[in-house]
C-alpha cells in the first residue's frame, strides 16, 4: 500500500498531490543529510475535509493524533530514532502544535524536550503546502541546535537544509522537472557539496567536492569563482561539453550532468534555491564516478565478448551441421542417412539458441520467439511429404540460457517422435503447450511443457520418470531420441517427464521443469 493512501481517501487531494509527495520522499534524503536530522512525514488520523471545515480548506480535527507515513534518517550523522516510526502515532504533546502549523501553513520550531526519542532536542514542524492546501506535515528532529560549536561545513549544510524546507513549505521543492531515482553514480551530500550564490559564484566547497574537482584538474582557490569558467577548460581542448553542463554548473536548472577529463569523471547535480520571486543561489552535488564508469565499460566489454562467443559458437555449429548434411548425401544406406540427418537437426537446434543469445543483451532467451520457428520446422522436417498441422498454446516467457538449450532439444525430439511414431503416415495435429505454475511450500515455480498428438496412441498405461530412473537403457520401440529426452530432463532440466494417453486419442507427453525463484 502506498504511503499516500490516507490522502487518497479524501476528495480534497488529487493525483498531482500524491505524485508530488512521492517525489519529495524519493529525494528527502538530501535534506536529512544536510540537516543532520531525522525527517518524519505525518498525516492527521481525524481529518476534516474542506466541505466540512467551514473555511474551504481541510484540516485536522481538534485533538487529532498524527500518524507517521514515512521516515528517513541522515547518512551524515547519528539518528534520533533507532526504530522505524512508520505506522506509529507521534506523541500527543505534538498534536496541538502540528495542527496549528497545518492551519497556519507556516513552519514552527518546538524547542528542546518537545519531541520523543533518544536525545531529541529540537523539533521543527514544516507543513507541506501545494496550491494553497496543506497536504501533510514534515517534522525535522535534530539532536542539537545549529550553532552549538558547529563547523563551517555544518553551518552551510544546515542553512541549505533550512532553505530547502522553506521551499518545500511553499511547494517549490521538489521540482517535477528534476531527475528522480538513485541512478548509478548519482551524487549524494557525503560525496561532495558546493554552494553557489545568486551570481553563480562559489561560496563554499566541501572537502570531498574539492578533492573531486582537483582530480578533474582544477587547482587553486575556488571560492568566488564561477565553475563554468573552470570546468570546461579542465576537460581538454578536444572535449565537447554536454549541453546540460552550463545550466547545471550555474545552478539554473535542477538537472544532472557528467563530465570526463583525462584523469577523472565527475557527476554533478544541481538543486536551485529560490523563493516565489527570485533565485538566491544553488546547491551543487558532485561525485567522482571514475571507477564506476570504468566498471561499466568493463561490463559492456564483457557483454560484447559473451555475445561474440555465442555468435562464433553458432557459426561453428552451423558448419558442423553443413558437414553432416554433406556426409548424409554420400550415404548409400537409408539408416545411415537418417541417423546423420537427425544429428544435423540436433546440432542446428543448439545453434539456434546460440544465435538468439548472440543478439541478446542478457543471458535470458525469449523462448516463445525461439521455439515457435523451431517447432514448425521440426514437424516439417520429420514428415516433409505428410500433412501435419502445428498449434501452440500458452507462453514460455524468458528462460535462462542453461535451460533454453536442453529444453529446445527435448521439444525437438518430442515433436519429431510425435510426427514419426504418433501420427505415422496419417495427417494430424501436433500441439505444443506451456504453462507456468507459481511456487508452493513443497517447491519453487515450475514450467510445464506438453507435446501432444491426435495419432494412434501409445496403447499402454501412463509412464512417469525422473531422477536416476530416467537413465535406464532404451526399452522396446525406443530409439536414441527418447534416451536423449530422458537424460536431458533428468540431468539438465532437473525435471520429470510423463507419457500418457491423450483424451480423445493420441499421446500426451508432459515435461515439468523447475524454475529459479524470481
Amino acid at each position: 500500500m502506498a504511503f499516500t493512501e490516507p490522502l487518497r481517501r479524501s476528495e480534497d487531494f488529487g493525483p498531482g498531490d500524491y505524485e508530488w509527495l512521492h517525489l519529495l520522499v524519493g529525494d528527502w534524503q538530501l535534506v536529512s543529510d544536510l540537516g543532520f536530522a531525522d525527517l518524519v512525514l505525518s498525516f492527521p488520523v481525524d481529518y476534516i475535509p474542506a466541505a466540512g471545515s467551514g473555511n474551504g480548506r481541510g484540516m485536522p480535527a481538534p485533538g487529532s493524533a498524527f500518524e507517521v507515513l514515512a521516515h528517513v534518517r541522515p547518512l551524515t550523522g547519528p539518528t534520533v530514532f533507532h526504530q522505524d516510526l512508520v505506522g506509529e502515532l507521534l506523541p500527543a504533546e505534538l498534536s496541538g502544535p502540528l495542527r496549528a502549523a497545518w492551519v497556519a501553513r507556516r513552519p514552527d520550531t518546538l524547542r528542546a524536550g518537545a519531541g520523543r526519542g533518544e536525545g531529541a532536542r529540537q523539533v521543527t514542524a514544516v507543513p507541506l503546502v501545494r496550491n494553497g492546501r496543506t497536504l501533510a506535515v514534515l517534522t525535522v528532529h535534530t539532536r542539537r541546535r545549529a550553532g552549538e560549536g558547529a563547523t563551517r561545513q555544518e553551518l552551510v549544510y544546515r542553512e541549505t537544509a533550512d532553505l530547502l524546507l522553506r521551499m518545500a513549505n511553499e511547494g517549490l521543492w521538489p521540482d517535477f522537472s528534476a531527475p528522480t531515482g538513485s541512478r548509478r553514480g548519482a551524487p549524494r551530500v557525503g560525496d561532495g557539496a558546493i554552494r553557489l550564490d545568486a551570481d553563480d559564484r562559489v561560496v563554499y566547497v566541501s572537502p570531498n567536492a574539492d578533492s573531486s574537482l582537483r582530480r578533474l584538474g582544477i587547482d587553486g582557490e575556488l571560492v568566488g569563482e564561477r565553475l563554468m569558467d573552470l570546468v570546461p577548460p579542465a576537460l581538454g581542448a578536444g572535449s565537447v561539453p554536454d549541453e546540460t553542463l552550463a545550466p547545471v554548473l550555474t545552478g539554473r536548472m535542477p538537472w544532472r550532468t557528467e563530465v570526463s577529463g583525462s584523469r577523472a569523471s565527475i557527476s554533478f547535480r544541481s538543486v536551485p534555491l529560490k523563493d516565489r520571486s527570485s533565485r538566491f543561489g544553488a546547491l551543487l552535488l558532485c561525485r567522482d564516478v571514475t571507477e564506476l564508469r570504468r566498471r561499466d565499460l568493463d561490463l559492456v566489454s564483457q557483454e560484447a565478448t559473451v555475445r561474440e562467443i555465442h555468435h562464433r559458437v553458432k557459426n561453428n555449429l552451423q558448419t558442423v551441421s553443413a558437414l553432416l548434411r554433406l556426409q548424409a548425401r554420400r550415404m548409400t544406406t537409408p539408416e545411415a542417412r537418417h541417423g546423420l540427418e537427425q544429428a544435423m537437426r540436433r546440432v542446428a537446434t543448439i545453434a539456434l539458441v546460440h544465435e538468439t543469445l548472440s543478439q541478446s543483451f542478457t543471458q535470458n532467451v525469449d523462448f516463445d520467439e525461439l521455439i515457435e520457428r523451431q517447432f514448425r520446422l521440426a514437424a516439417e522436417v520429420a514428415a516433409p511429404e505428410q500433412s501435419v498441422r502445428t498449434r501452440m498454446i500458452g507462453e514460455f516467457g524468458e528462460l535462462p540460457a542453461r535451460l533454453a538449450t536442453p529444453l529446445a532439444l527435448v521439444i525437438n525430439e518430442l515433436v519429431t517422435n510425435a510426427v514419426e511414431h504418433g501420427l505415422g503416415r496419417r495427417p494430424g495435429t501436433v500441439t505444443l503447450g506451456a504453462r507456468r505454475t507459481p511456487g508452493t511450500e513443497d517447491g519453487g515455480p515450475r514450467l510445464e511443457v506438453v507435446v501432444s498428438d491426435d495419432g494412434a496412441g501409445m496403447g499402454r498405461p501412463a509412464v512417469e520418470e525422473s531422477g536416476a530412473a530416467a537413465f535406464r537403457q532404451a526399452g522396446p520401440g525406443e530409439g536414441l531420441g527418447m534416451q536423449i529426452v530422458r537424460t536431458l530432463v533428468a540431468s539438465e532440466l532437473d525435471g520429470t517427464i510423463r507419457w500418457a494417453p491423450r483424451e480423445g486419442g493420441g499421446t500426451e507427453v508432459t515435461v515439468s521443469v523447475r524454475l529459479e525463484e524470481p
Side-chain angles (χ1 to χ4, degrees), residues 38-248:
D38 284 53
L39 303 184
V40 176
L41 184 72
S42 61
F43 190 80
V45 175
D46 298 320
Y47 175 76
I48 303 175
S53 65
N55 63 1
R57 295 193 183 96
M59 66 179 63
S64 172
F66 281 74
E67 180 184 3
V68 176
L69 305 181
H71 174 204
V72 66
R73 300 179 179 88
L75 301 176
T76 51
T79 182
V80 174
F81 304 107
H82 292 281
Q83 293 184 343
D84 190 69
L85 301 182
V86 174
E88 296 189 19
L89 300 180
L90 290 177
E93 60 265 26
L94 289 179
S95 297
L98 292 183
R99 183 179 187 274
W102 180 295
V103 174
R105 292 177 289 160
R106 292 192 302 270
D108 186 20
T109 299
L110 313 177
R111 290 301 172 187
R116 110 177 217 196
E118 303 116 357
R121 299 185 61 184
Q122 181 171 296
V123 180
T124 300
V126 182
L128 302 176
V129 181
R130 187 170 183 269
N131 296 328
R133 292 175 290 108
T134 303
L135 308 183
V137 176
L138 185 68
T139 49
V140 184
H141 303 256
T142 55
R143 281 186 175 276
R144 63 174 184 172
R145 298 181 182 89
E148 292 184 356
T151 64
R152 166 70 171 159
Q153 181 178 12
E154 291 174 326
L155 291 174
V156 172
Y157 278 15
R158 286 194 169 106
E159 178 194 13
T160 307
D162 290 341
L163 291 174
L164 287 172
L165 288 170
R166 191 170 75 189
M167 291 171 61
N169 168 244
E170 298 176 353
L172 300 177
W173 182 85
D175 194 310
F176 276 107
S177 65
T180 59
S182 54
R183 182 173 58 89
R184 183 173 171 84
R188 301 156 297 189
V189 171
D191 298 319
I194 304 171
R195 268 294 303 272
L196 305 181
D197 61 16
D199 297 323
D200 312 330
R201 296 186 181 276
V202 175
V203 295
Y204 174 77
V205 182
S206 73
N208 285 345
D210 183 70
S211 297
S212 295
L213 293 175
R214 288 185 184 279
R215 283 191 284 271
L216 195 61
I218 301 174
D219 297 319
E221 180 62 37
L222 296 174
V223 175
E225 300 290 338
R226 289 189 173 93
L227 290 178
M228 271 306 294
D229 296 335
L230 303 175
V231 173
L235 303 181
S239 65
V240 179
D242 189 271
E243 60 184 9
T244 61
L245 185 62
V248 171

Side-chain angles (χ1 to χ4, degrees), residues 21 61 72 108 120 122 153 197 251 269 289 299 310 378 391 409:
L21 283 180
V72 66
D108 186 20
Q122 181 171 296
Q153 181 178 12
D197 61 16
R269 178 193 175 185
V289 293
L299 287 175
H310 284 302
R391 185 168 63 122
L409 282 171

Side-chain angles (χ1 to χ4, degrees), residues 383-398:
E385 300 178 357
Q386 187 175 331
S387 176
V388 178
R389 295 183 299 274
T390 56
R391 185 168 63 122
M392 283 190 66
I393 302 174
E395 294 183 353
F396 290 85
E398 285 198 348

Side-chain angles (χ1 to χ4, degrees), residues 260-450:
S260 296
S262 58
R263 294 184 296 169
S265 295
I266 307 297
S267 175
F268 288 95
R269 178 193 175 185
S270 170
V271 183
L273 303 174
K274 59 186 178 181
D275 56 23
R276 295 194 180 278
S277 60
S278 62
R279 170 184 166 276
F280 42 82
L283 170 70
L284 294 188
L285 302 180
C286 63
R287 180 180 181 181
D288 187 341
V289 293
T290 307
E291 281 302 305
L292 282 176
R293 296 300 169 252
R294 184 185 64 80
R295 293 172 193 166
D296 288 344
L297 188 61
D298 286 345
L299 287 175
V300 171
S301 177
Q302 290 173 14
E303 290 173 356
T305 301
V306 169
R307 291 199 301 274
E308 177 63 20
I309 290 172
H310 284 302
H311 179 72
R312 294 188 182 187
V313 170
K314 181 263 297 184
N315 288 344
N316 291 338
L317 290 173
Q318 287 180 337
T319 301
V320 172
S321 180
L323 292 174
L324 290 172
R325 184 184 299 109
L326 291 174
Q327 189 66 40
R329 291 174 180 173
R330 300 175 66 88
M331 292 294 100
T332 57
T333 60
E335 292 82 3
R337 185 183 300 110
H338 183 65
L340 287 175
E341 287 175 349
Q342 285 186 323
M344 177 188 69
R345 173 172 44 82
R346 289 161 185 154
V347 170
T349 299
I350 300 174
L352 181 61
V353 176
H354 283 282
E355 180 182 13
T356 304
L357 287 170
S358 71
Q359 299 169 357
S360 172
F361 287 92
T362 69
Q363 284 299 295
N364 289 338
V365 177
D366 184 350
F367 201 76
D368 294 282
E369 181 179 342
L370 180 150
I371 203 62
E372 183 178 6
R373 178 174 44 151
Q374 184 63 24
F375 170 44
R376 290 178 170 81
L377 182 62
E380 291 177 8
V381 171
E385 300 178 357
Q386 187 175 331
S387 176
V388 178
R389 295 183 299 274
T390 56
R391 185 168 63 122
M392 283 190 66
I393 302 174
E395 294 183 353
F396 290 85
E398 285 198 348
L399 294 178
R402 69 173 187 84
L403 295 180
T405 300
L407 185 59
L409 282 171
V410 166
I411 293 174
N412 190 72
E413 296 296 334
L414 291 177
V415 171
T416 301
N417 188 68
V419 173
E420 292 181 348
H421 302 288
L423 297 180
R425 297 183 178 277
R426 298 185 302 274
T429 302
V430 177
T431 303
L432 173 62
R435 181 171 69 94
R436 290 188 180 230
T437 59
T440 62
E441 295 182 358
D442 300 331
R446 302 189 74 86
L447 172 66
E448 286 191 354
V449 180
V450 180

